[in-house]
Amino acid sequence: MSITKIKKSNEKFGQFIGSEFNVNENLSENQVIIQTKDLNLWYGDTHALMNVSMEIFKNRVTALIGPSGCGKSTLIRCFNRMNDVYDNVKIEGNIIYSNQNILAKEIQVTSLRKKIGMIFQKPNPFPMSIYDNVAYGPRIQKIKKKDQLDKIVKKSLKKAALWDEVKDRLDDSAMSFSGGQQQRLCIARALAIEPDVLLMDEPTSSLDPIATAKIEGLINDLKKKYTVMIVTHNMQQATRISDFTGFMYLGELVEFGTTKQIFENPLQELTQRYILGRFG
Amino acid sequence: MNNSTKIQHNSLSNSVLDSGLRSSLESDLKSDLESNQRSELEFDTKISFFEKIIKPILFLAATFSIVIVLLQLFFLFQQATGAFEYVSIKEFLIGTSWNPTEGPSFGALPLIVGTFLTTLGAMIIAVPIGILTAIFISEIAPIKLKKLLKFIVELLSGIPSVVYGFFGLIILTDWIRIILNRPTGQSWLAGSIILAIMALPTIISVSVNSLNAVPNEYREAALGLGANKWQTISKIILPAASSGILTAIILGIGRAIGETMAIMMVTGNTAIIPTPITNIFSPVRTVTATIGIEIPETAIGGAHYHILFALVVVLYVIIIVINSIAELLLEKFNKKCNNGKIKKESNKKINKKTNKKTKIISKKFNFWLKSNKKRMSKFLQYLFGLWLFSIWAGIWIGIIFIGIIFLNIRFYNFISSENQQKIAIAIIIGATLLVFAVLTIIIGFLIVNGISVISWDFLTRYPRDLGREGGIFPAIIGTLYLVAGAIVFAVPLGIASGLYLAEYTKPNRFTRLIHMSIDTLNGTPSIVFGLFGFVVFCIFTGWGKTLLAGQLTLGLMILPTIIRTTEQSILSVPQEICEGSYALGANKWYTEKKILIPSAAPGIITGIILGMGRAIGETAPIMFTAAVFNLRRLPKSLFSPVMALPYHLFLLTTTVPGGQDNAYGTALVLLVLVFILYGIATILQSKIDRNKKSFILR
Ligand SMILES: Nc1ncnc2c1ncn2[C@@H]1O[C@H](COP(=O)(O)OP(=O)(O)OP(=O)(O)O)[C@@H](O)[C@H]1O
Ligand SMILES: [Mg+2]
């Protein structure tokens, strides 16, 4: 069944209760890859996420939208436990991935992050060559053989649609490339360790329109193999690239559904006001 | 069911992947998918062994500084408590006679007065010049000149104190003797001048930093209101930076009080209180000089010995108090700058001032300036400023002038603001040129007199006739050994503890304690390190004067520099880059090894080189612990004594009549070594600055 059909069937049966999205009946074609249950997060005394429950579907692009400070970054950083770097963070609830609660203390974040990669708002290439940037992840996993690394680097750069632009300059410092190229390099770097899921926190917000278009095209291709979750401020972008959309407000997931439904037929008034740009 | 292959492309009009690439991608994806069929993932649940032990190791390194400070306090106090069996605290502190051999009497007042007077004199000279130069560097100089001047200030701070002492003894005291027609030039005045030169770099660089910290908006706001440059500086920037500048002065005082070698060489070392107290030509003897001179002569464990340690404790406590005050002030200043809460009132003041009518005196002054202007180019005017103000009187006019501005004395308003600016800028440039002149004079004299001494033989031969003849080969080698050992000891420790501070600490009390210990070590005078090393590495261990004791003592001394530069350069690596590494599944240690330390390496290396520069020139720490004068061979092991360049220079100058020529040569060699290191450090630093620009992510 194609995605367009799924969307159509959605419109027919769409039943949304609060932020709960009834998956099993409507979207049996979609396979849940990550599920959060009653996720709560505090930075010190700030309650930044409140009872967030949602599903992420395999090989789909899920967008998170919402006003600044509503907790989008906080939420997306939960999936690879990037919030662990702060020491005033307290998390409650579950995130189920591959039948395990990845918030469990005994799970080592390093092995989790090999499966759930992340792209950041600002391109953050390492101050080393293109090649070393892409080979960084595989090297962590003790892949040392040159021909093996060569293959991975080439494949990853191709997947990130960067190979043709940099194939003769693999030894140049990554810092000498443009912002858009750097961001695609960061994507290649994340792909090199063969993750299942890619988290992207406003990956195009520091890029110009052309570079943005390239990244969007790339995301569209990537979802054939990967599950993508993307935070964006740009609602056109969300409609262009995502299959599902979650709208967040003040730490709560207000509404979650197919992108089409959220943008054409939001069930919550808050969502509607935000989408129409009537937000105070 | 295989979703990915069946899903049609969302028709995305602006997709830029060309079809060729797309098809190659698709085949790649297919093969990936096949290899990727697995049901459940296994996550690691064990932390790797290395990751577990790295933190405790770094922690131990970081606590080392605390341990050293505590040990220093313990040993110095322990040795000092013995003193009061022989002398009462009262007699010690206010007794006016210091005569450890005959009598003996141990009144330390003349020594304390000596330290006080020389420091006071030094500040009277150095404070106005230092602040004015800082103003020039921060506010007036064009960018290239700024860099040059900063380099000059660094060089001034890099010149070893024994070289200053040498210059002071050979040249400065001679000038005072001849020009001022005195029986001897070794005096309070000479001590103050030398101390002033040595405190200048501290005062200038800390002041420049605090002036730079004043937000640019203030400058723009003031200039926007029609204030001229000098009004902006005097009414807005100086008040805003005042607590930072005060810190600079206090740190300068700390530097002056703790100085040993140079002051010992130029003050005549007579333990008397000058009569009258204002007699700047009287010889004096400072606390540090007393320690430096008498420790080697005294019997270990006797009355004199313990009393000298009581002196060290007095010195140590004074320095710690001074540095803590400076530290507190600086913290406050930084907060103030961050909050940007500098009073807006001052803007109003400017408006009033600019509107004040000029009066008669001003007219005369204007006329005088105008008539001169016709004949003089701008350049000549500045030269005129130099001529007028770069002499003693000029400095004093400067002080009074600035005093007047701050006190808003009436007649100041008679001078038009434009002319005020001219005068002020002339004074400022005069002060800067004076600093420049001092450096050129010192270096010039050393080069002119030393270059003819230096030859291949001089560098590769052993000394003969108490160093008057022959070369300085063993001294060069000894110094290299000492510095190499200090580096081997301090670098791993310093990097480990800098890394710990930057990466593993939370802002709690314990972290503060570590920082405080490092600051204390950083401010501890080198003579105190020398004594500590002497007590611990020579006496306590029973090694006596050995190369190893000197290396460890020097290592302790440069440790804080290395810790600080490591911490700062690691902290300046952008957080985003580390997160990028974590997001790829790297653990903390891997990230540190591959990203943080390499990115911070140039900064760390700069710190190490500056530490080496300091270790090469220091005399006080090795004087009691490692250095001997006349060696016929190189040290056989870590447990033999060595010769060292600075100590050789010191003894050639002070105890070997006729050793002057070779002293010039030794001083020049020492200076060249230090300058090479400082040059490398400066080049590295400018590279880092350039890199930082490309680090700022787009
Ligand atoms: N490290 C932190 N410590 C304390 N509070 C934090 C921290 N990071 C985020 N917050 C707070 O948590 C809330 C959510 O922040 P978050 O960054 O997730 O918002 P966001 O939706 O990503 O906003 P934006 O669109 O501006 O990126 C905000 O109120 C923010 O102030
Ligand atoms: Mg965000």
Side-chain angles (χ1 to χ4, degrees):
Chain A
M1 206 197 242
S2 74
I3 189 81
T4 35
K5 275 188 192 160
I6 296 172
K7 282 183 179 168
K8 266 182 200 146
S9 65
N10 259 342
E11 274 161 57
K12 262 187 232 160
F13 309 112
Q15 294 288 326
F16 302 95
I17 308 138
S19 67
E20 300 284 330
F21 178 52
N22 197 337
V23 193
N24 299 335
E25 284 169 31
N26 303 318
L27 288 164
S28 52
E29 292 290 326
N30 286 310
Q31 208 182 324
V32 175
I33 183 163
I34 303 179
Q35 190 174 24
T36 74
K37 285 186 193 152
D38 295 324
L39 194 64
N40 279 283
L41 185 144
W42 290 263
Y43 290 113
D45 293 334
T46 322
H47 198 170
L49 292 180
M50 297 173 199
N51 297 318
V52 174
S53 298
M54 70 188 289
E55 272 105 7
I56 317 258
F57 298 104
K58 197 166 183 206
N59 300 109
R60 299 286 181 270
V61 177
T62 305
L64 280 179
I65 57 170
S68 188
C70 67
K72 306 180 295 292
S73 300
T74 305
L75 179 58
I76 202 172
R77 286 165 69 96
C78 286
F79 293 109
N80 67 345
R81 287 187 42 192
M82 214 54 188
N83 288 319
D84 283 18
V85 298
Y86 307 120
D87 31 53
N88 62 341
V89 172
K90 199 180 93 192
I91 308 185
E92 280 174 7
N94 295 322
I95 298 180
I96 310 293
Y97 167 61
S98 179
N99 289 331
Q100 291 161 82
N101 178 15
I102 57 170
L103 294 180
K105 280 234 166 58
E106 61 272 14
I107 287 185
Q108 282 305 300
V109 288
T110 48
S111 59
L112 171 67
R113 288 170 189 163
K114 284 167 193 164
K115 287 288 126 204
I116 304 189
M118 182 166 226
I119 316 295
F120 296 82
Q121 179 166 3
K122 277 191 203 158
N124 59 349
F126 303 135
M128 39 177 98
S129 71
I130 295 273
Y131 186 95
D132 289 337
N133 261 282
V134 182
Y136 189 87
R139 279 177 177 149
I140 296 173
Q141 306 184 17
K142 308 248 157 45
I143 298 175
K144 296 254 160 73
K145 279 194 210 117
K146 178 88 171 103
D147 52 339
Q148 211 177 342
L149 282 176
D150 285 351
K151 242 167 100 185
I152 295 174
V153 169
K154 183 171 176 184
K155 196 165 84 178
S156 312
L157 284 170
K158 273 189 175 166
K159 282 188 207 164
L162 193 59
W163 174 252
D164 287 340
E165 286 162 64
V166 302
K167 64 172 182 259
D168 304 320
R169 302 165 63 188
L170 291 179
D171 291 330
D172 285 12
S173 163
M175 307 316 253
S176 60
F177 287 83
S178 77
Q181 285 171 321
Q182 287 187 359
Q183 193 62 303
R184 275 179 288 147
L185 173 64
C186 292
I187 294 176
R189 193 173 70 182
L191 295 179
I193 49 172
E194 310 260 328
D196 283 348
V197 182
L198 279 179
L199 309 172
M200 303 187 171
D201 191 351
E202 304 186 39
T204 60
S205 66
S206 64
L207 305 181
D208 60 54
I210 295 175
T212 301
K214 283 192 186 182
I215 303 265
E216 287 183 5
L218 184 58
I219 291 172
N220 200 48
D221 284 339
L222 286 175
K223 76 176 181 191
K224 277 173 241 151
K225 192 188 159 201
Y226 306 95
T227 305
V228 177
M229 185 158 190
I230 180 170
V231 170
T232 176
H233 262 138
N234 178 335
M235 274 173 280
Q236 278 74 43
Q237 184 171 65
T239 52
R240 277 198 300 267
I241 60 175
S242 71
D243 307 307
F244 294 90
T245 297
F247 168 63
M248 293 187 70
Y249 185 64
L250 297 180
E252 281 183 277
L253 183 66
V254 174
E255 190 168 355
F256 183 79
T258 60
T259 300
K260 195 162 181 190
Q261 177 260 317
I262 293 282
F263 281 94
E264 287 174 8
N265 190 16
L267 299 178
Q268 302 285 327
E269 203 202 322
L270 264 175
T271 318
Q272 188 165 16
R273 272 172 50 202
Y274 181 72
I275 288 165
L276 296 176
R278 292 197 212 115
F279 224 71
Chain B
M1 173 221 69
N2 198 336
N3 274 334
S4 340
T5 43
K6 283 186 194 156
I7 294 171
Q8 292 159 3
H9 296 295
N10 270 0
S11 57
L12 194 96
S13 56
N14 53 6
S15 171
V16 287
L17 299 174
D18 58 82
S19 55
L21 182 59
R22 195 184 288 273
S23 64
S24 85
L25 255 179
E26 241 142 58
S27 64
D28 263 353
L29 287 172
K30 260 181 210 156
S31 65
D32 276 353
L33 273 171
E34 275 141 31
S35 65
N36 229 19
Q37 301 291 344
R38 53 179 145 25
S39 52
E40 194 158 313
L41 296 159
E42 296 264 314
F43 293 122
D44 296 350
T45 49
K46 268 192 264 162
I47 312 179
S48 72
F49 174 68
F50 198 63
E51 182 81 356
K52 251 190 227 163
I53 59 165
I54 189 75
K55 190 175 171 182
I57 291 177
L58 295 179
F59 174 77
L60 279 183
T63 47
F64 189 77
S65 304
I66 303 182
V67 174
I68 290 299
V69 171
L70 291 180
L71 277 181
Q72 269 184 2
L73 284 171
F74 171 75
F75 273 108
L76 297 182
F77 271 98
Q78 186 214 29
Q79 300 292 320
T81 43
F84 300 103
E85 288 171 24
Y86 308 99
V87 59
S88 71
I89 292 190
K90 190 177 157 204
E91 193 199 330
F92 176 65
L93 286 180
I94 59 172
T96 54
S97 158
W98 177 267
N99 197 344
T101 44
E102 285 150 47
S105 56
F106 295 107
L109 190 63
L111 313 179
I112 295 171
V113 168
T115 291
F116 175 76
L117 291 180
T118 44
T119 303
L120 179 72
M123 287 306 120
I124 290 175
I125 301 168
V127 168
I129 299 176
I131 296 176
L132 292 171
T133 308
I135 294 175
F136 184 76
I137 294 178
S138 157
E139 304 296 322
I140 298 173
I143 254 238
K144 275 194 181 159
L145 191 56
K146 214 176 256 195
K147 278 190 184 150
L148 177 73
L149 286 169
K150 277 188 179 164
F151 184 61
I152 285 174
V153 173
E154 288 225 327
L155 286 188
L156 268 180
S157 78
I159 296 178
S161 70
V162 64
V163 173
Y164 278 118
F166 173 68
F167 170 81
L169 183 60
I170 302 294
I171 292 153
L172 185 67
T173 52
D174 226 33
W175 283 356
I176 293 175
R177 186 174 58 83
I178 295 165
I179 298 172
L180 300 173
N181 197 18
R182 298 275 147 184
T184 169
Q186 296 186 27
S187 58
W188 169 13
L189 176 64
S192 285
I193 293 176
I194 286 295
L195 280 188
I197 299 174
M198 298 180 73
L200 265 178
T202 309
I203 297 180
I204 294 175
S205 56
V206 180
S207 300
V208 166
N209 286 346
S210 45
L211 287 169
N212 283 344
V214 176
N216 246 337
E217 290 88 73
Y218 293 128
R219 296 185 180 87
E220 282 156 16
L223 292 172
L225 284 173
N228 65 25
K229 192 141 201 164
W230 171 241
Q231 285 170 326
T232 312
I233 294 170
S234 66
K235 294 291 166 204
I236 304 284
I237 295 169
L238 279 182
S242 59
S243 57
I245 291 174
L246 191 60
T247 314
I249 296 170
I250 294 173
L251 287 175
I253 292 175
R255 176 101 172 78
I257 291 181
E259 175 49 40
T260 310
M261 301 314 292
I263 202 82
M264 200 157 109
M265 292 163 86
V266 300
T267 50
N269 294 320
T270 315
I272 52 169
I273 297 174
T275 41
I277 191 83
T278 53
N279 180 9
I280 54 174
F281 300 107
S282 161
V284 289
R285 175 176 218 168
T286 65
V287 173
T288 49
T290 310
I291 299 165
I293 295 166
E294 296 179 9
I295 280 281
E297 297 168 353
T298 175
I300 292 163
H304 186 199
Y305 175 83
H306 286 302
I307 289 168
L308 284 176
F309 271 88
L311 269 184
V312 178
V313 168
V314 171
L315 180 74
Y316 196 52
V317 169
I318 293 176
I319 298 267
I320 287 184
V321 169
I322 284 180
N323 286 342
S324 318
I325 294 174
E327 219 48 62
L328 279 180
L329 268 175
L330 207 58
E331 221 165 82
K332 264 200 192 143
F333 173 68
N334 286 339
K335 263 189 208 149
K336 193 169 102 181
C337 271
N338 292 340
N339 295 346
K341 273 182 191 157
I342 298 168
K343 289 169 229 152
K344 279 271 156 76
E345 281 171 33
S346 20
N347 284 355
K348 283 181 204 155
K349 267 192 204 161
I350 294 173
N351 266 346
K352 269 191 214 160
K353 290 273 153 63
T354 29
N355 293 337
K356 282 261 157 82
K357 292 262 157 27
T358 46
K359 299 247 164 88
I360 311 158
I361 297 175
S362 154
K363 269 182 192 162
K364 275 187 187 163
F365 201 75
N366 241 341
F367 174 70
W368 174 80
L369 263 181
K370 262 183 202 156
S371 59
N372 278 298
K373 214 180 199 170
K374 280 172 198 159
R375 276 173 274 139
M376 282 194 258
S377 69
K378 213 175 183 184
F379 175 67
L380 281 177
Q381 262 188 47
Y382 287 150
L383 268 189
F384 179 64
L386 168 69
W387 174 78
L388 193 63
F389 295 111
S390 67
I391 46 174
W392 258 97
I395 298 156
W396 273 104
I397 292 171
I399 300 170
I400 294 166
F401 185 78
I402 286 173
I404 289 168
I405 293 167
F406 278 121
L407 298 175
N408 267 326
I409 291 174
R410 269 276 179 75
F411 86 74
Y412 169 68
N413 295 334
F414 296 154
I415 307 172
S416 78
S417 58
E418 197 187 318
N419 288 335
Q420 285 167 18
Q421 166 152 322
K422 276 179 195 152
I423 299 170
I425 289 183
I427 293 175
I428 289 171
I429 291 175
T432 312
L433 286 172
L434 193 65
V435 173
F436 185 70
V438 166
L439 183 78
T440 11
I441 287 172
I442 294 177
I443 296 177
F445 265 94
L446 289 180
I447 291 178
V448 167
N449 293 300
I451 200 90
S452 57
V453 180
I454 291 180
S455 64
W456 185 244
D457 278 357
F458 183 71
L459 297 176
T460 56
R461 289 278 165 88
Y462 284 78
R464 279 177 290 123
D465 192 15
L466 289 179
R468 289 185 197 100
E469 302 286 322
I472 53 169
F473 180 64
I476 296 179
I477 297 297
T479 287
L480 293 183
Y481 281 170
L482 283 167
V483 173
I487 291 295
V488 167
F489 169 64
V491 165
L493 206 55
I495 293 181
S497 92
L499 182 61
Y500 181 81
L501 285 171
E503 278 289 294
Y504 291 89
T505 50
K506 296 169 187 163
N508 57 21
R509 283 220 184 126
F510 191 72
T511 311
R512 260 190 84 107
L513 186 67
I514 299 179
H515 274 126
M516 259 169 57
S517 309
I518 294 166
D519 288 340
T520 307
L521 280 183
N522 197 42
T524 305
S526 53
I527 184 105
V528 176
F529 275 108
L531 273 191
F532 175 70
F534 176 61
V535 173
V536 177
F537 303 128
C538 300
I539 297 177
F540 187 73
T541 57
W543 296 343
K545 261 195 182 183
T546 56
L547 175 55
L548 183 60
Q551 290 170 330
L552 292 176
T553 311
L554 282 177
L556 286 182
M557 202 191 63
I558 61 175
L559 185 62
T561 314
I562 296 176
I563 297 178
R564 278 185 164 183
T565 43
T566 304
E567 185 189 358
Q568 270 154 19
S569 6
I570 288 181
L571 283 177
S572 71
V573 178
Q575 173 72 19
E576 289 98 345
I577 293 187
C578 299
E579 288 196 348
S581 169
Y582 293 136
L584 290 171
N587 61 26
K588 203 159 180 156
W589 172 242
Y590 194 88
T591 307
E592 280 153 12
K593 198 170 59 176
K594 296 287 175 180
I595 306 284
L596 277 175
I597 295 179
S599 307
I604 298 173
I605 293 171
T606 312
I608 294 172
I609 291 174
L610 289 178
M612 283 168 75
R614 196 163 161 219
I616 279 188
E618 279 291 353
T619 318
I622 55 171
M623 184 158 66
F624 317 130
T625 55
V628 289
F629 184 44
N630 215 352
L631 271 190
R632 291 257 153 248
R633 61 184 95 79
L634 295 178
K636 273 200 187 123
S637 74
L638 285 177
F639 296 96
S640 347
V642 285
M643 285 185 72
L645 283 174
Y647 190 62
H648 191 67
L649 171 60
F650 171 64
L651 288 183
L652 270 189
T653 324
T654 52
T655 56
V656 182
Q660 227 188 67
D661 282 350
N662 273 2
Y664 269 118
T666 312
L668 189 56
V669 170
L670 194 53
L671 203 65
V672 167
L673 284 178
V674 171
F675 280 11
I676 288 175
L677 288 174
Y678 273 72
I680 297 174
T682 310
I683 293 169
L684 263 179
Q685 191 58 48
S686 66
K687 276 235 172 86
I688 297 170
D689 292 344
R690 233 176 292 146
N691 275 354
K692 264 208 192 111
K693 269 175 213 154
S694 69
F695 242 151
I696 297 170
L697 308 162
R698 272 156 289 197

